[in-house]
Amino acid sequence: MGPTPIVELKNLTKTIRGKKIIDDLSLQLYPGQITGFLGPNGAGKTTTIRMMVGLMKKSGGEVVIDGQTLSADFEEALSKVGVIVENPEMYKFMSGYKNLLHFARMQKGITKERIDEVVKQVGMQNRIHEKVGTYSLGMRQRLGLAQALLHRPKFLILDEPTNGLDPAGIREFREYLRLIAKTENVSVFVSSHMLSEIELMCDRIAVIQNGKLVDLRDMSEPQEAHYYVEAFPADQTFELLGSLGFKSESVNEGFVIQAEKTKIPELVNALSTAGLELYAIQPHRKTLEDQFLELTGGGQLAETASK
Amino acid sequence: MLKLLQNEWMKLWSKKGTWIMAGLMVILIIAMAGIMKWSYSLMDDESDWKLSTQSELENDKNSLASGVLKGESKRLAEENLQISEYRLANDVAPLKDFSREGMIYNPSVGSIALLLTVIVAAGIVASEFSQGTIKMLLTRPVKRWKIMTSKYLAILLFGVLLMLIGFITTILSAFIFFPSEGGQALAISGGNVVEVSIWGHGLYILLLSFVNVIITATFAFMIGSVFRSSGMAIGLSLFIYFTGSVIVGLLSRFEIVKYLIFTHMDLTMYESNYILNDEITLSFSLVVLAVYLIAFLIVSYTVFTKRDITA
């Protein structure tokens, strides 16, 4: 796993009226990596994020950002962080530019040139001097992103960032996040209800349930390699797979087998020499939704999905 | 801190409402002067100042002789008596209420400026919550007490600005609507009668009424930041502003009235001849007000800096 973490949650705990909302949560986030933060409603995602950005006080534990603890040096630690908490609510009665100016003044050393640069980056040059009240939701999201990027944060934290964006907007947003994670080596932490979204965007996911971290996994390396094989006739294919020592499971028109990548050419050869008509052979990955269901139990997912 | 104050100032003046309020104040002051001139022109004011001063002098003598006056009220009546005697002896006419000098001597911008400053003070924290911008504001690398201080300073600055605009408007309308009628304001200093500049006295009245602006606005600021509702803050602040003297009247028999904020809020009473309580002095009032002010600020700051933002 890459270099030293940029953000570290150490035994983070939040107790509200005797109830542990967040229970001893520890997590490390690394530069250049997008980490998804998943969990059913009420699991404590928003609470965790709010403790990380100083909106809520923690009851125990520590948040370390680039070597600075949040409790010891709030200003220094938070100056490394860019935040979008839910829908970015801007001052509607001011222009987009004045909003950016407002937030720029709250950071050290942001020049007018930097503001213009960010405005260009998010493609808002044409309308930046109009009042935010006249913006569409997509425009406001872009402005929200712009304010989070002004000070070139090393760490970007996003709570439900794509709420209310249309598919094109979501895609654009996702690609943009990937880009800055890669080019500027920014560590990104995204909480979302939209599993497919997280799946497409993240390198790694952390799953939280009842205030505890229940799973942390890398998306790039599937734990077990599965392949989907579709060939005709099906019963002969099944036999052949069996004779080659693959465990197969019937899915749709074909079979899912568990196999190493290196075995695949061999399999293709065997299929064609046996005279079977091969239609498809492709890596098969369980969707995040399947995994999430397994982890957290269906009941709570239903609640999640209804949001 | 200067940048934060700049931010608050920018937000304040980006709202249309602020400009409307400031404009409204200017219009109101001019209109009031116009109405005063009109109603004054209906009266035939050919009365002799010597006669009215004479009757005032008799009044003061009688009330002093009856022994109902105590403390500060008694002192004021004695001073007034001394001034009246001086005027008659030396033939020095007083200022007329409805004259250019009278208006500058006793400018009445306090209550309008107070109302408008209270509206701003009530909303400056509460509106961040109602707009949802509080989350954006507090996720910056700036400690909350600094944000709070910048907001409080913005209120004070706004109050000062309104008072100044109000005073300038008053001066302008005094010059536009009223002729100069001469007269000389007098006061007692060190037992002697001295002449008072109308400008100095006007500014002094402004300063005294500004104390009320600060107190009421700080109260509104506190309610607004504790309950996050500007409507409630405006309502409560104006309630105490308007009913304060009634409450003082109701409780006047009790010792505790000396320590109530209502008794002290209107410091201009020390320049008029009606003081709500016999046992208080200007410096005592200032001490009581300072205690309340600090308490309001402690509550505002504590609640704001400790609060979990969950909305």
Side-chain angles (χ1 to χ4, degrees):
Chain A
M1 192 121 286
T4 47
I6 179 85
V7 176
E8 231 177 321
L9 308 184
K10 287 182 181 164
N11 312 99
L12 198 61
T13 302
K14 175 74 180 177
T15 314
I16 297 178
R17 288 185 211 96
K19 193 168 167 254
K20 275 197 174 166
I21 307 291
I22 303 295
D23 191 2
D24 209 23
L25 183 77
S26 294
L27 183 65
Q28 277 124 26
L29 303 171
Y30 298 90
Q33 216 179 35
I34 303 183
T35 307
F37 194 35
L38 288 176
N41 275 346
K45 296 192 300 292
T46 299
T47 307
T48 307
I49 285 183
R50 291 191 176 188
M51 282 193 284
M52 290 169 77
V53 296
L55 286 178
M56 290 176 99
K57 303 270 178 296
K58 55 193 179 308
S59 311
E62 195 49 83
V63 178
V64 186
I65 299 168
D66 201 22
Q68 306 280 347
T69 62
L70 208 55
S71 49
D73 200 342
F74 179 79
E75 299 190 347
E76 189 58 36
L78 216 58
S79 67
K80 312 282 171 49
V81 186
V83 189
I84 303 180
V85 184
E86 287 165 280
N87 292 330
E89 302 285 356
M90 299 292 194
Y91 300 98
K92 293 197 175 69
F93 48 85
M94 294 199 297
S95 68
Y97 188 82
K98 278 192 175 175
N99 268 284
L100 290 182
L101 186 65
H102 176 268
F103 293 118
R105 283 189 189 137
M106 300 182 80
Q107 305 272 1
K108 282 195 191 84
I110 298 179
T111 58
K112 291 242 157 63
E113 290 73 38
R114 175 61 188 164
I115 298 180
D116 294 336
E117 189 186 338
V118 173
V119 168
K120 222 173 266 173
Q121 242 177 2
V122 296
M124 287 198 52
Q125 309 89 301
N126 297 328
R127 299 197 51 195
I128 194 68
H129 290 288
E130 290 173 33
K131 285 213 164 93
V132 172
T134 67
Y135 288 1
S136 65
L137 189 59
M139 300 283 290
R140 261 181 270 166
Q141 288 285 8
R142 287 188 198 198
L143 190 62
L145 190 62
Q147 62 79 24
L149 295 174
L150 274 175
H151 51 295
R152 302 178 198 276
K154 292 184 175 178
F155 175 52
L156 201 55
I157 187 163
L158 312 152
D159 190 12
E160 306 283 349
T162 53
N163 255 357
L165 275 187
D166 59 19
I170 291 177
R171 186 183 183 134
E172 196 184 346
F173 191 78
R174 179 173 73 220
E175 278 165 7
Y176 194 77
L177 280 188
R178 294 214 70 97
L179 181 76
I180 54 166
K182 203 181 262 175
T183 56
E184 300 189 26
N185 212 26
V186 172
S187 173
V188 184
F189 192 49
V190 196
S191 101
S192 180
H193 284 294
M194 297 169 81
L195 297 169
S196 54
E197 196 43 47
I198 291 278
E199 194 168 18
L200 285 167
M201 195 182 330
C202 300
D203 304 308
R204 203 167 70 128
I205 57 163
V207 181
I208 182 176
Q209 192 178 24
N210 298 328
K212 286 182 179 164
L213 194 68
V214 291
D215 193 35
L216 185 65
R217 65 175 65 168
D218 275 305
M219 298 294 288
S220 48
E221 38 182 78
Q223 309 79 348
E224 298 164 320
H226 286 89
Y227 285 84
Y228 173 75
V229 183
E230 191 178 323
F232 198 77
D235 45 354
Q236 288 181 37
T237 312
F238 181 72
E239 277 171 30
L240 181 72
L241 289 172
S243 66
L244 288 171
F246 295 114
K247 265 207 217 157
S248 59
E249 189 186 334
S250 172
V251 172
N252 299 335
E253 308 272 291
F255 303 92
V256 169
I257 58 167
Q258 198 182 322
E260 294 299 312
K261 193 177 174 180
T262 50
K263 295 267 177 71
I264 299 305
E266 194 183 312
L267 174 62
V268 174
N269 270 334
L271 284 168
S272 57
T273 45
L276 298 173
E277 297 167 38
L278 178 61
Y279 290 101
I281 183 159
Q282 65 200 41
H284 180 82
R285 201 163 71 181
K286 285 184 178 173
T287 63
L288 191 58
E289 193 170 272
D290 297 332
Q291 300 176 25
F292 187 76
L293 261 160
E294 280 168 29
L295 273 167
T296 61
Q300 274 147 320
L301 183 73
E303 196 190 338
T304 307
S306 70
K307 165 112 185 194
Chain B
M1 185 53 77
L2 193 66
K3 283 182 171 179
L4 295 179
L5 184 58
Q6 256 181 315
N7 270 347
E8 294 305 325
W9 202 244
M10 176 175 77
K11 284 187 271 186
L12 188 58
W13 291 100
S14 295
K15 288 180 184 159
K16 279 200 199 94
T18 314
W19 291 95
I20 293 172
M21 284 197 295
L24 214 60
M25 188 181 76
V26 171
I27 293 166
L28 264 174
I29 290 173
I30 295 174
M32 265 170 22
I35 291 168
M36 266 166 66
K37 180 179 171 77
W38 175 71
S39 63
Y40 177 62
S41 70
L42 295 182
M43 295 187 283
D44 48 357
D45 181 56
E46 290 303 316
S47 63
D48 185 1
W49 68 265
K50 284 183 179 162
L51 287 178
S52 55
T53 307
Q54 186 65 46
S55 76
E56 207 179 306
L57 186 144
E58 299 299 333
N59 261 340
D60 285 332
K61 262 188 184 160
N62 289 338
S63 29
L64 281 169
S66 69
V68 290
L69 294 178
K70 278 175 286 186
E72 197 73 356
S73 303
K74 187 177 172 207
R75 193 182 61 77
L76 279 173
E78 281 167 357
E79 283 189 9
N80 214 24
L81 183 69
Q82 197 183 345
I83 290 171
S84 298
E85 281 167 347
Y86 180 91
R87 284 193 190 286
L88 293 171
N90 297 285
D91 196 23
V92 180
L95 299 176
K96 284 186 181 170
D97 283 344
F98 298 113
S99 69
R100 186 180 292 171
E101 291 79 8
M103 283 192 65
I104 295 167
Y105 180 75
N106 201 357
S108 51
V109 296
S111 50
I112 306 175
L114 181 136
L115 177 72
L116 302 185
T117 312
V118 160
I119 293 175
V120 167
I124 202 160
V125 175
S127 70
E128 299 276 0
F129 281 95
S130 60
Q131 296 160 4
T133 45
I134 189 75
K135 287 179 285 184
M136 299 295 255
L137 191 68
L138 295 187
T139 50
R140 309 293 130 182
V142 177
K143 286 203 172 125
R144 290 193 191 177
W145 68 264
K146 291 185 185 168
I147 290 174
M148 203 59 171
T149 306
S150 69
K151 286 187 178 292
Y152 189 62
L153 289 179
I155 296 169
L156 296 185
L157 204 59
F158 184 71
V160 171
L161 185 73
L162 283 187
M163 294 298 274
L164 287 181
I165 294 176
F167 192 43
I168 291 168
T169 314
T170 304
I171 293 167
L172 287 179
S173 46
F175 273 84
I176 294 168
F177 290 109
F178 296 96
S180 170
E181 305 221 17
Q184 176 63 53
L186 298 174
I188 303 289
S189 171
N192 296 316
V193 176
V194 292
E195 295 190 346
V196 177
S197 135
I198 53 167
W199 301 98
H201 187 268
L203 283 172
Y204 182 59
I205 290 288
L206 229 52
L207 191 70
L208 288 183
S209 35
F210 187 59
V211 172
N212 200 355
V213 173
I214 294 178
I215 296 293
T216 319
T218 308
F219 180 76
F221 182 64
M222 174 181 74
I223 300 294
S225 41
V226 171
F227 295 100
R228 292 170 288 174
S229 153
S230 63
M232 183 177 175
I234 295 170
L236 276 180
S237 311
L238 294 187
F239 180 77
I240 69 160
Y241 175 65
F242 287 117
T243 59
S245 53
V246 178
I247 293 172
V248 172
L250 288 175
L251 298 176
S252 56
R253 287 181 296 126
F254 303 102
E255 173 78 9
I256 190 164
V257 82
K258 267 169 69 180
Y259 304 103
L260 288 182
I261 191 169
F262 311 113
T263 317
H264 306 279
M265 278 164 64
D266 183 15
L267 293 178
T268 56
M269 67 183 170
Y270 291 106
E271 285 300 303
S272 71
N273 288 326
Y274 178 70
I275 294 176
L276 286 171
N277 187 291
D278 291 332
E279 296 170 44
I280 58 175
T281 61
L282 180 57
S283 41
F284 179 74
S285 287
L286 286 174
V287 171
V288 173
L289 289 178
V291 170
Y292 276 98
L293 188 77
I294 290 166
F296 290 164
L297 287 176
I298 289 175
V299 172
S300 316
Y301 272 73
T302 314
V303 171
F304 187 74
T305 49
K306 293 260 186 295
R307 162 169 277 143
D308 277 350
I309 311 297
T310 52

